Amino acid sequence: MACLAEPAVADLRFVAVGNPNTGKTTLVNALSGSSLRIGNWPGTTVEKVETCFPVEGRRACLVDLPGSYSLAASTAEERLTRDELLAGRPDAVFDVVDASNLERNLYLTLELAELGHPVVVALNLLDEARARGLELRPEILEERLGVPVVATVAVREQGMEGLVKAALRARPPTVRLDYPEGIESAVARLEPLIQHPSHRWMALAALAGEPIALEEPAARLVETLKVELAARGIDPFLQIAGTRYQAAREIAQSVQASRPGAHRLTEALDRWFLHPWLGIPLFLMGMLLVFRFTFEFSDPWVHWLGRVQEVLGGWIAALPLPGLVASFLADGLVGGIGTVLAFTPVLFFLFLALSFLEASGFLARSAFLVDRLMKAMGLPGRAFIPMILGFGCNVPAISATRTMESFSDRLRVALAVPFAACSARLAVFTLFTSIFFPRQAALVVFGLYLLGLLVGMLTALALGRLTPPSEAGSAMELPPYRIPTWKVVWRQASARTWIFIEGVGGAILVSVAAVWVLLNLPPGEISQSLYARVATGLTWALGPLEIHDWRLAGALVPGFVAKEVVIGTLGVSYLQSDPVAPLGLLEGMRGIATGLGEALWATLLAFPSLLGVPGLHLPPPEAPEGLAAALSTSISRSGALAYLVFVLLYTPCVGTLMALRLEFGRRWATLSALYQLVVAYALAFLAARIPL
Amino acid sequence: MIWDKEAFISESYPGLDRAPEESALRERDPETMRCLTELAMNEEALVHAVGGPHLRARRIMALGLSPGARVRMVRRAPLGDPLEFDVSGCLLMLRCEEAAGIVVEG
């Protein structure tokens, strides 16, 4: 009966829209206080944020939509914004307008006017506009548009109260554009046939060639009208857009008392960061810094989480449980949770760095600098960052493709990323090279990295040939540099990390549990287990790769869960492992606590190491005693090379696969896994033919 | 009207594959009209027409580079491409091939 107690007054529904880089997210944060809720709409891959706060005794829910330059949607994010505005009838649309960029921002405002929703304009970044010597007369804007206009400085939470009050008296804009005669008469004929509150905007969009789904009589009329207009030499798209731009420019000029001067900080920083000679070296140093920041800072936390996992395993071993149950709890369940958690520090610190780069304006600059290189692969400049990040960890690299606009470009990068040799694969490389190629270890590892890079680049290139190039082109804004607030960066990073855990945690747990079942059932010797049977079957398939030992073939199966597991499994199957030592409650707690202290200390120590000179050091192989000797007799050198090539190229880990599924859907994740298996098999087959 | 009608008459609508930049360039007086790529560093001009495939033209115009806008060449990327432009106080990057489709005067 709880539902009857709900208040009778319906919630207010607000929507926030605006051009990218207008401080919209900051404004939404300022309005909502701390009650931000992030939702990830599956399949759409773009984020839509909803937050609720009280307004005069009622509950107002504000949806923050992705930034758009216009309602003519050319990117996935812009499509989401348009669909949301067409589907719902919000009580007010917050149109966030960059005060120093009125001309362009008002284009969207004029489109909103044609939608017919109640609008309130937030004239944001007013401080920045003033700093650039721009004087504005908001009252004129209010008069011209016929909607409330509120001056705001969202970063300092100025004007928020006025904005909410104005939203309650928001009304549909009275401004009405007059299009050239040919367009107006076509709209007049089309409009009555469209059964949608926003019929004027819909009619104009349909004439301009937007993919708008119209009912039958209207859809046929659109085709007729287009032919008629074309016969008169009228291009509806150019005339409609032209009228709007002209109107926006005219209104902007009437509101501005002076022309904006240059953005000083941006001019000063760009002089260095986009310098003809220094630009690229500075950018590479910056990339290295992001890389080091992510991995140096997350490393202590990954270790600490591993320690927590050990302690939990020890506690379980201390419980009076049957061996098989204890083993399942310790290795299957806690191990699975540990695998999920091991990703989170890396993701969090990477998202922290990316959010900072995005909000400050550096990300756009990096695209400007390396655009020429990416163009050679048929990709936009923004593709560079995910590709580089893949060498650290594929999972955040795939999430980082979000910063790109075109779906097909994102997909191509995401399918190429898994071939980048991540740090987990390095562990396998170092062990095998130290046994089979002790003299040429560095050379072999370097060659493997290069091979991964090459396969990834060829993948992106080949896919580019198959899919048509992105029509939208690569033109983009280089936003002015701004110092982002910690609050915004922190929130965005934690929200994105949480979306990942929520989205992939379950699947990783299941696959870890499945591997446990294979290894431990039926109980007893590992050579009698299901795992051994599967592995023996695999040697038949892997024979052409010169991999004949079932233990080597089998280790590739748990390697699908995570590459770190390959060595552990080899250790177990060659040498048998000792059971987890039971641990006392206090002893374990102390372990966790000291680990936490050490992790905090190590994080602090990571700050100076960011400034240090980076060196390419191969970590010493972490392998159980005696494994090297056992391995060296079970495979030839050619076979070992084929094994390494296979490990480099086949499905990196279930986390990567789940990230692909989260971003692009199940179908693409499956296809990607199959593609990697085929490529890995083919190239490993060739590697096995190299006489060594 | 500031924007140019004649330059954009296309035979087949919606014309995703048309290339009006060429016809626009050919028909124009070479004395006053140039493409955006021909601007010298820091030189300012007025956008006359935006060409290229439909979607791309739409995107470029959405970014503020619409007929009638004032545009200034700011710099060239270290590797030669893309170019940076200042459009009434807002910085944009365009690849050379995209800028080549934009006709400017003055």
Side-chain angles (χ1 to χ4, degrees):
Chain A
M1 289 294 108
C3 53
L4 289 179
E6 292 286 310
V9 196
D11 290 350
L12 285 165
R13 245 180 69 76
F14 295 149
V15 176
V17 293
N19 281 195
N21 309 308
T22 50
K24 193 164 55 65
T25 306
T26 319
L27 187 125
V28 171
N29 279 338
L31 275 175
S32 64
S34 58
S35 61
L36 200 68
R37 201 179 83 210
I38 303 273
N40 188 41
W41 272 249
T44 59
T45 71
V46 275
E47 291 154 29
K48 184 171 88 169
V49 181
E50 191 177 309
T51 166
C52 295
F53 50 91
V55 176
E56 294 186 0
R58 290 170 80 183
R59 203 166 82 110
C61 286
L62 174 61
V63 178
D64 181 15
L65 292 175
S68 287
Y69 293 110
S70 93
L71 297 181
S74 50
T75 68
E77 300 199 322
E78 289 182 342
R79 209 163 300 133
L80 181 81
T81 301
R82 186 195 67 191
D83 292 347
E84 181 76 16
L85 284 170
L86 283 178
R89 299 300 299 165
D91 292 294
V93 176
F94 288 78
D95 179 18
V96 186
V97 165
D98 176 355
S100 46
N101 232 318
L102 269 187
E103 199 173 304
R104 195 185 60 201
N105 282 255
L106 286 179
Y107 182 87
L108 182 67
T109 311
L110 291 174
E111 273 197 290
L112 289 174
E114 274 159 359
L115 279 182
H117 296 320
V119 169
V120 53
V121 170
L123 198 56
N124 199 28
L125 301 170
L126 210 60
D127 50 341
E128 210 175 87
R130 290 219 178 96
R132 292 169 75 168
L134 188 64
E135 277 311 315
L136 294 169
R137 291 170 294 211
E139 65 287 350
I140 293 183
L141 189 60
E142 195 158 86
E143 188 192 306
R144 294 293 303 267
L145 297 173
V147 295
V149 173
V150 182
T152 57
V153 181
V155 243
R156 273 183 255 128
E157 311 201 352
Q158 284 172 13
M160 294 303 121
E161 242 173 80
L163 189 63
V164 173
K165 278 207 183 105
L168 295 173
R169 56 182 178 89
R171 50 186 184 266
T174 53
V175 61
R176 193 187 152 93
L177 300 187
D178 292 318
Y179 294 93
E181 181 276 324
I183 301 287
E184 281 293 349
S185 63
V187 169
R189 282 167 67 190
L190 187 56
E191 236 180 321
L193 295 183
I194 301 173
Q195 309 298 323
H196 190 279
S198 303
H199 38 75
R200 186 169 165 85
W201 184 85
M202 296 269 271
L204 286 162
L207 286 174
E210 284 291 309
I212 295 268
L214 290 178
E215 300 284 312
E216 204 17 80
R220 215 173 321 127
L221 184 60
V222 169
E223 292 314 310
T224 326
L225 288 171
K226 275 186 189 173
V227 175
E228 280 179 33
L229 288 169
R232 293 175 58 192
I234 295 173
D235 184 330
F237 160 66
L238 285 166
Q239 294 216 341
I240 292 168
T243 308
R244 286 181 186 149
Y245 282 117
Q246 207 190 358
R249 188 168 304 133
E250 199 260 313
I251 296 177
Q253 277 161 6
S254 71
V255 175
Q256 293 169 350
S258 57
R259 266 184 78 175
H263 194 267
R264 293 252 174 74
L265 179 68
T266 302
E267 260 191 351
L269 287 179
D270 273 349
R271 193 166 299 150
W272 292 102
F273 289 121
L274 303 182
H275 189 275
W277 307 315
L278 292 174
I280 301 253
L282 279 174
F283 165 68
L284 290 177
M285 275 165 68
M287 277 316 299
L288 205 69
L289 206 64
V290 170
F291 210 85
R292 289 173 67 93
F293 170 79
T294 304
F295 296 102
E296 300 269 342
F297 277 69
S298 61
D299 197 53
W301 299 99
V302 174
H303 274 278
W304 178 66
L305 287 168
R307 187 109 161 231
V308 172
Q309 190 185 330
E310 269 168 37
V311 169
L312 287 176
W315 282 344
I316 288 165
L319 294 176
L321 288 171
L324 208 57
V325 177
S327 159
F328 176 75
L329 286 178
D331 296 333
L333 198 69
V334 175
I337 294 171
T339 310
V340 180
L341 288 181
F343 284 117
T344 51
V346 184
L347 276 167
F348 179 73
F349 283 104
L350 177 81
F351 286 145
L352 215 55
L354 275 185
S355 302
F356 173 81
L357 289 178
E358 219 176 330
S360 60
F362 278 108
L363 206 61
R365 263 73 188 179
S366 74
F368 181 72
L369 287 171
V370 293
D371 188 81
R372 182 70 194 76
L373 288 179
M374 292 290 111
K375 193 177 149 192
M377 275 191 276
L379 287 169
R382 291 196 165 195
F384 190 76
I385 289 176
M387 286 191 152
I388 286 290
L389 288 172
F391 285 99
C393 178
N394 291 176
V395 178
I398 283 166
S399 307
T401 61
R402 282 186 181 208
T403 53
M404 292 162 60
E405 285 168 344
S406 135
F407 180 83
S408 71
D409 288 346
R410 290 186 51 198
L411 187 64
R412 284 161 63 203
V413 175
L415 292 181
V417 157
F419 294 114
C422 66
S423 49
R425 272 167 271 189
L426 187 62
V428 184
F429 296 168
T430 47
L431 174 67
F432 273 71
T433 47
S434 71
I435 300 169
F436 295 98
F437 312 99
R439 294 232 176 124
Q440 306 93 344
L443 189 72
V444 172
V445 171
F446 183 69
L448 286 166
Y449 268 85
L450 218 58
L451 180 68
L453 187 68
L454 204 69
V455 173
M457 273 163 57
L458 287 176
T459 301
L461 205 64
L463 282 168
R465 288 283 152 85
L466 293 177
T467 52
S470 144
E471 278 288 339
S474 59
M476 61 177 238
E477 187 182 351
L478 296 174
Y481 288 101
R482 289 184 186 125
I483 301 159
T485 57
W486 265 109
K487 227 161 133 188
V488 168
V489 172
W490 185 269
R491 272 182 183 173
Q492 201 173 7
S494 37
R496 285 178 174 178
T497 312
W498 181 243
I499 285 169
F500 175 81
I501 298 174
E502 239 182 2
V504 312
I508 295 180
L509 272 180
V510 168
S511 39
V512 172
V515 167
W516 181 89
V517 168
L518 277 181
L519 278 168
N520 291 279
L521 295 180
E525 279 282 300
I526 192 166
S527 55
Q528 304 302 315
S529 68
L530 280 172
Y531 170 77
R533 260 181 260 171
V534 171
T536 313
L538 269 180
T539 51
W540 173 80
L542 296 176
L545 310 185
E546 303 294 329
I547 300 164
H548 301 293
D549 194 295
W550 69 268
R551 288 163 293 201
L552 274 166
L556 295 173
V557 177
F560 171 78
V561 172
K563 287 290 167 292
E564 297 94 325
V565 186
V566 170
I567 294 174
T569 315
L570 284 174
V572 172
S573 51
Y574 276 102
L575 309 164
Q576 303 296 329
S577 70
D578 0 299
V580 184
L583 211 58
L585 190 64
L586 268 176
E587 202 182 339
M589 298 261 246
R590 206 176 306 130
I592 292 177
T594 50
L596 183 67
E598 280 166 24
L600 279 168
W601 181 238
T603 312
L604 281 176
L605 285 183
F607 276 103
S609 80
L610 280 182
L611 304 170
V613 186
L616 209 155
H617 59 94
L618 290 185
E622 289 171 32
E625 295 258 327
L627 181 58
L631 274 177
S632 59
T633 54
S634 63
I635 192 166
S636 67
R637 273 162 60 103
S638 298
L641 190 66
Y643 197 79
L644 286 179
V645 170
F646 197 84
V647 167
L648 167 73
L649 299 173
Y650 88 110
T651 319
C653 63
V654 69
T656 304
L657 213 55
M658 287 302 114
L660 275 165
R661 200 186 85 173
L662 193 67
E663 301 290 329
F664 303 97
R666 192 185 296 266
R667 203 165 55 99
W668 281 111
T670 318
L671 264 174
S672 157
L674 286 176
Y675 170 66
Q676 287 150 17
L677 274 178
V678 170
V679 170
Y681 194 90
L683 288 176
F685 181 81
L686 291 179
R689 305 274 93 75
I690 299 172
L692 288 168
Chain B
M1 300 286 149
I2 302 174
W3 83 96
D4 193 290
K5 257 187 266 177
E6 287 93 331
F8 287 98
I9 300 170
S10 61
E11 285 90 13
S12 62
Y13 193 78
L16 281 169
D17 47 7
R18 68 186 174 158
E21 68 267 30
E22 281 181 33
S23 61
L25 275 178
R26 235 183 290 118
E27 285 165 25
R28 291 297 143 198
D29 181 3
E31 293 283 306
T32 56
M33 300 282 170
R34 282 178 296 167
C35 29
L36 197 47
T37 43
E38 291 170 297
L39 286 187
M41 282 304 146
N42 268 321
E43 194 186 353
E44 222 183 59
L46 198 68
V47 177
H48 178 78
V50 178
H54 226 217
L55 260 170
R56 190 208 275 175
R58 192 170 77 181
R59 173 119 185 110
I60 289 172
M61 285 166 81
L63 285 164
L65 252 177
S66 57
R70 290 215 74 83
V71 58
R72 181 175 64 92
M73 168 87 90
V74 178
R75 62 166 64 78
R76 196 175 268 277
L79 300 173
D81 191 11
L83 305 167
E84 185 185 336
F85 296 100
D86 180 334
V87 182
S88 48
C90 161
L91 301 171
L92 303 181
M93 91 175 210
L94 262 75
R95 282 185 181 168
C96 289
E97 72 217 42
E98 291 169 319
I102 296 170
V103 185
V104 293
E105 59 188 316

